[in-house]
Amino acid sequence: QVQLEESGGGLVQAGGSLRLSCAASGRTFSRYNLGWFRQAPGKAREFVGAILGIGSNRYYSDSVKGRFTISRDNAKNTVYLEMTSLKPEDTAVYYCAGFSSGSIYDTSSYDDWGQGTQVTVSS
């Protein structure tokens, strides 16, 4: 129902910042709940944060709270993940996803996924 494409990943030193973008198409963007997830090698995909289409309330995992910020630009059909104070443990492939139903914290609640963008944080 929606196509998503992440960009902005790359290599950054610990303590640095990076902004990821997720461009969306195919669904009324302003009303679409979008989530960010990440998956490190050998680990399960985990929730990072989400932003609601109605009201733009934002939610974050404990591991990134206070360091990452989600925002959206409806005119550009784009959601952003601003990452600051990056740590090596933030290294992962980051995905944006379109919410379907259920809990916004659960991977299974999302049915549209981007291809992912690699974020590598060096010491």
Side-chain angles (χ1 to χ4, degrees):
Q1 191 170 26
V2 63
Q3 297 182 62
L4 304 170
E5 183 174 359
E6 304 93 337
S7 62
L11 176 64
V12 63
Q13 293 183 345
S17 301
L18 203 62
R19 188 178 78 164
L20 306 183
S21 299
C22 175
S25 62
R27 183 174 172 176
T28 304
F29 184 78
S30 63
R31 300 183 61 185
Y32 202 28
N33 301 333
L34 290 169
W36 284 97
F37 292 80
R38 67 186 183 186
Q39 188 166 25
K43 303 188 69 175
R45 189 168 300 184
E46 66 173 348
F47 175 80
V48 174
I51 184 168
L52 303 187
I54 304 299
S56 296
N57 288 341
R58 294 170 292 184
Y59 305 85
Y60 301 96
S61 69
D62 290 339
S63 62
V64 308
K65 195 174 300 180
R67 299 189 297 121
F68 291 9
T69 302
I70 297 175
S71 62
R72 64 193 300 155
D73 186 338
N74 291 338
K76 296 182 180 295
N77 281 10
T78 301
V79 170
Y80 303 97
L81 180 66
E82 188 77 37
M83 305 181 293
T84 63
S85 301
L86 282 163
K87 307 172 182 179
E89 50 262 46
D90 294 318
T91 295
V93 176
Y94 283 72
Y95 300 89
C96 61
F99 179 81
S100 179
S101 62
S103 171
I104 60 170
Y105 301 99
D106 295 341
T107 302
S108 61
S109 299
Y110 297 77
D111 58 6
D112 298 302
W113 295 84
Q115 83 289 342
T117 185
Q118 176 72 48
V119 172
T120 302
V121 184
S122 62
S123 300

